[in-house]
Amino acid sequence: LRPNPNEYYHARKYNLDISLFERLIKIGIPHATLEIQHRMRPEIAGLVCPYIYPKLVNHDTVLIYQDVRGVTTNMYFFDHKYPEAENDDLRSHSNAEEAKLVVALCDYFLKQGYSPTQITVLTTYTGQLLKLKPLMPRSKFEGVRITAVDNFQGEENDIIILSLVRSNDNGRAGFLSIENRICVALSRAKKGFYCFGNFTLLRGSCDTWRNILKYLETKNKLGSSLLLCCSNHTDIKTEIHTVDDFSKVPEGGCSKLCDARLDCGHVCKQFCHPRDPYHLSYKCKERCARTCEDGHPCPKLCYETCPACRFVVSKIIPGCGHIQKVMCHVNPSDFSCKAPCSKKCSNGHLCPKVCSETCGDCMTAVPKLHPRCGHIQHTYCYLNPALCKCHHPCERTCNTNPSDPHRCKKVCYLPCGDCKEPVSKVLPQCGHKQMVLCHRNPQDHVCQNHCERSLKCGHPCTNTCGVSCTTNCMVMVKKYFSDCPHDVILPCSTSIDDTYCQEKVRKELPCGHTTFMKCSKSVENFKCKSHVKITLKCGHVFEGKCNKQYEKCAVLSQKEFPKCGHKLKLPCHESLPANCTIKCNVKLLCGHQCTGTCYECHQGRLHKACSFHMFPLPCGHPTKEECTSLKFPVCDYECEYSCAHRKVCTHKCSQPCNPCKERCSWTCKHYKCTKQCHEICDRPRCDHPCKSTLPCSHPCIGVCGEPCPRVCRLCKQQKNKFKNLCVGISDTRPETRYIQLSCDHLFEVKMLDELLEGQVNNTLIGPLVCPSCRKQIRSSNRYGNLIKRKKEVIERFHTTVNKSATEKEKDVFAEKVLSVFLPPQLLPSARGDHFQGRHIPFLKRNSKHLPAMFRKLPTLLAESYSCKNLSVLENELDQYTLINKCKTTFDGYPELSASFEKLLVFFKATPPSAQKALDVSCERQRIFLQWMISNFEPPSKDVSAVTQLQKKLVTNQPALTLPDASAHFDELQKIARRSGKRFVVDSRHFDPVKANFINGTWAVCPNAHHVYCQPRGLIVMDTGMWRCPDCPH
């Protein structure tokens, strides 16, 4: 099935409503179409053949299916007019009456004896699914699968009941008119298929439904009523128009009673039922006719198991002879007699238990005399009174005060202990009366009365009488300080010498300011918080606190780096860093922005190596190779070009395509191409207006022979869409023709012709792209020749850059490396050895003599290496040799020799790139210009010009370019001649850099004999240093 996006606009714009399977077929992936089906009985298979499947053969196994029980047809489409309802929350639809019909039919098939797993209920909308589930409780429909059509693709079942839902007066069928969904919905059933829907609505939605309904009418499988057939009484038919008609077949058969004679002798009281024809699971609800051995009737229903007889009868119990009421089935020997026991204890008390229970000890309560205390207690008959605890109140008294004895408050058997009765006693220590426990000595009691004694200060004591008087008097009194006129409220016992005056007073500070502070605080240690203007040593004035000593100035000021002239805002007290940290941010020749700092890039003269990935390849595919990689990446993407014959190229993008030998399909009423598909077409572009009509009935705005644009400029609903998609000025005149590219952008025909012709005539290598969004144009009839020409250049590019260097070329390069780096005595020529063709192994054995940057050369040369990559290494070797020679030339000038040494260090540490080549060339010329300035005395009128030039060379502000270096050289030559000096220049200082780099903008020479790479940076286009190796261009 196709996916169902929520946004229609995006679905159409970005083709989101196309399934993955369709996408694979459209791009030419090999596929096979089903021709033999093993699922559906022939009349069901007729729904999809030939309307969806042109050819479909029924296997023999589908011809022997049994008919569906309970209906007169194995397939039927029930037509109704019940209106649908919209579910705004789910953005879906439902149909309540149709749902009831579906549930009733499913229940009817279950009554025919079908297993729930043989039946599946399908619906096309989620809203209907939510309607069906409450109507089909699990207790009744357990095992019946209820699901949406989208979730059932690839599955099948014996009986399928389909709910199509849609039924409205607007003629809207939604996605029921999509052929994919029609195919899935109608091809899931094996033996029986029953569909409910408004087929009058669907008939007008698409041709597929019209063909299917015409087929159903010829087979008499379409109507507004379903005819049921009783399986037991085949002559009785029941016609179903509404859901209420299913009440005529309550048990799935007909309205007759079953009346079958059961094994129990009764007759079946159910309506006619196809399920359980032998009544194996039927439960007879008649009264049971069986009796017990004594003739008592069974109280249960017929289908229930008869229990033991529960009639109550009188029986003699053999153990005791009592007559008891016992259930009929109970044996009297097993019965426990419930009659009262007639036995008595030794004291004549009657046993209170029943006859069948053991009597045990006599539990009758009787009064008995306790032998120890003489109290009478009620206790059990069988107990000895001497072993019992007497619970009578104790009658003993205390002997502390014989005149007023206190009675014990415990029970008789417990010991009395000390008397806890509180009594008033006079304490001997103070003479106060206190309530004290009877048994306690008053001398041991602490008096709780208020103390009546006075302290030394004269204030009364605040403790109790029995406690020693306090030494700390807590009475609050006013006290005066000796050194100030203020007073304070303190406890009497607290000395004022231990307290500081907390009164706030205004005092004058040593600095002259006044402030409020505590009276007791000294002004000597107080820090003044007044704000004053402070002048620092550096001369800056700012507002600060009076008490602080400011040594570091925090005022921001611009400071200039002496070498490069960059300015940095820093606090005044901070000094500049040793190295400039300003970001370089120069656009490198590779097109990326430099990530180094001014110091790392040597004041913008020698830039840090680029850390980004390469830009996309000329074919348009991305690459993960680093920008400074020594190897040019080979494009491993699959080729995306295809022709109108749906022949998709199976090669990689970097390999040439196999030419299609079919006849070119670019034809229209006016012109026809006679060439083969892969050749340049020999017919012109047709500019006649397209005669087709859009679905909205307006004329097409395209040209003859091209796909019609999917937008109308006249419809009100599409005018805004037309303006949004149109690139340039939207022209509504009828004679203006438009072309719509695969990216949906609309272009006026002549304007697009000129724009795409300009892309082809450009020397830059790349695919044909939309002028607006830059999306690649892979196929087009009108611009097929332009696509072929661009594709030819890209193939030529891949062939050129991937051309492997020959073993001879690599051997020659290895010999050149040996001659540069090996000592003369170790060279093969010095030893007289013949190493022709064997320089690479020799280079590998002597790699210890190579600089670190060239030690990987033997390994690189042993691999499959392209000519382009080899030329990069050759250029590196030439530059290294030239820098070394310059360093040797300027050995007599320590400063210049040190500059060349730094240049050599940079050269070794930086991987090859166009930016590195340009930087090294400019730096060599900068050092050479400095040497010229230091080797002559300019005339007085030229001193300022030479000084200014020298400053530019030191700070590199602005950055030195090759044309600038050449102009400065000419100017210095003129000044030198005026002072009687003439310089002899090595021409290699101003040699242009060879165009042999691998990361940049690839182009083809206008003379069509070389593919070369030029840097992406724009500044280099003004240097005049990039030349085609094979011609002066």
Side-chain angles (χ1 to χ4, degrees), residues 297-545:
C298 177
K300 295 283 185 177
L301 297 178
C302 182
Y303 76 94
E304 294 176 322
T305 304
C306 292
C309 183
R310 302 183 69 84
F311 268 81
V312 179
V313 296
S314 297
K315 292 185 180 181
I316 299 174
I317 307 303
C320 59
H322 293 130
I323 298 174
Q324 293 283 294
K325 294 290 185 180
V326 183
M327 289 186 184
C328 177
H329 72 282
V330 176
N331 189 338
S333 302
D334 300 331
F335 183 76
S336 297
C337 181
K338 305 298 182 183
C341 181
S342 57
K343 300 184 185 72
K344 295 181 179 180
C345 70
S346 56
N347 293 326
H349 300 132
L350 192 65
C351 178
K353 297 184 180 180
V354 295
C355 179
S356 58
E357 293 178 334
T358 305
C359 293
D361 295 325
C362 181
M363 305 298 288
T364 304
V366 294
K368 291 186 179 181
L369 183 67
H370 202 284
R372 286 197 300 271
C373 59
H375 293 134
I376 295 175
Q377 289 283 308
H378 281 78
T379 184
Y380 294 125
C381 176
Y382 75 95
L383 284 177
N384 184 354
L387 301 176
C388 296
K389 294 178 179 178
C390 180
H391 290 271
H392 196 275
C394 182
E395 296 176 354
R396 295 184 291 275
T397 60
C398 69
N399 54 7
T400 306
N401 188 4
S403 61
D404 187 16
H406 302 129
R407 188 172 178 178
C408 180
K409 295 183 178 180
K410 296 182 180 180
V411 291
C412 183
Y413 79 93
L414 292 175
C416 293
D418 295 328
C419 181
K420 304 290 186 180
E421 189 73 22
V423 295
S424 178
K425 293 183 180 183
V426 178
L427 303 182
Q429 307 94 302
C430 57
H432 293 135
K433 282 187 176 184
Q434 292 280 291
M435 295 301 291
V436 184
L437 295 181
C438 179
H439 74 279
R440 289 195 65 179
N441 189 342
Q443 290 183 351
D444 300 331
H445 185 74
V446 178
C447 182
Q448 301 299 316
N449 283 6
H450 187 70
C451 182
E452 298 172 354
R453 296 183 292 274
S454 297
L455 302 177
K456 292 178 181 180
C457 59
H459 296 125
C461 178
T462 56
N463 285 355
T464 57
C465 179
V467 180
S468 301
C469 292
T470 181
T471 57
N472 297 325
C473 180
M474 302 306 293
V475 176
M476 304 301 288
V477 296
K478 183 183 287 187
K479 295 188 178 185
Y480 295 90
F481 292 99
S482 58
D483 54 353
C484 72
H486 303 123
D487 57 57
V488 66
I489 303 298
L490 293 173
C492 177
S493 60
T494 304
S495 174
I496 194 167
D497 296 332
D498 300 332
T499 306
Y500 297 100
C501 182
Q502 303 296 318
E503 194 74 23
K504 289 286 185 82
V505 295
R506 180 180 290 276
K507 291 188 179 183
E508 185 175 353
L509 303 178
C511 61
H513 298 118
T514 60
T515 184
F516 278 98
M517 59 190 301
K518 292 179 182 178
C519 177
S520 59
K521 198 166 186 179
S522 173
V523 296
E524 301 298 331
N525 300 325
F526 187 80
K527 294 182 179 180
C528 181
K529 297 181 180 179
S530 300
H531 283 76
V532 294
K533 289 188 176 180
I534 300 171
T535 303
L536 300 176
K537 294 177 182 179
C538 59
H540 289 126
V541 178
F542 72 100
E543 198 172 279
K545 290 184 179 180

Side-chain angles (χ1 to χ4, degrees), residues 141-181:
F141 294 92
E142 177 72 40
V144 178
R145 185 172 176 186
I146 316 163
T147 185
V149 172
D150 292 5
N151 299 329
F152 203 68
Q153 50 184 326
E155 300 185 52
E156 61 183 27
N157 209 345
D158 289 348
I159 298 174
I160 298 292
I161 305 174
L162 175 63
S163 172
L164 295 178
V165 181
R166 299 308 298 267
S167 178
N168 53 70
D169 297 332
N170 304 323
R172 292 182 299 181
F175 54 69
L176 294 186
S177 57
I178 299 174
E179 188 175 277
N180 305 54
R181 281 188 162 79

Side-chain angles (χ1 to χ4, degrees), residues 278-307:
Y278 300 106
H279 298 85
L280 299 178
S281 60
Y282 178 73
K283 296 178 180 180
C284 180
K285 302 296 178 65
E286 296 291 329
R287 188 61 78 172
C288 180
R290 296 181 289 275
T291 61
C292 70
E293 295 178 355
D294 294 335
H296 302 134
C298 177
K300 295 283 185 177
L301 297 178
C302 182
Y303 76 94
E304 294 176 322
T305 304
C306 292

Side-chain angles (χ1 to χ4, degrees), residues 99 101-123 129 132-148 152 155-162 275:
L101 280 169
V102 168
V103 173
L105 183 61
C106 178
D107 181 48
Y108 178 77
F109 282 132
L110 290 175
K111 291 174 180 176
Q112 301 307 309
Y114 285 108
S115 167
T117 57
Q118 291 180 276
I119 304 170
T120 296
V121 176
L122 296 181
T123 179
L129 191 66
L132 287 167
K133 286 190 174 182
L135 298 176
M136 302 178 72
R138 183 173 294 181
S139 58
K140 186 175 182 180
F141 294 92
E142 177 72 40
V144 178
R145 185 172 176 186
I146 316 163
T147 185
F152 203 68
E155 300 185 52
E156 61 183 27
N157 209 345
D158 289 348
I159 298 174
I160 298 292
I161 305 174
L162 175 63
R275 183 167 48 184

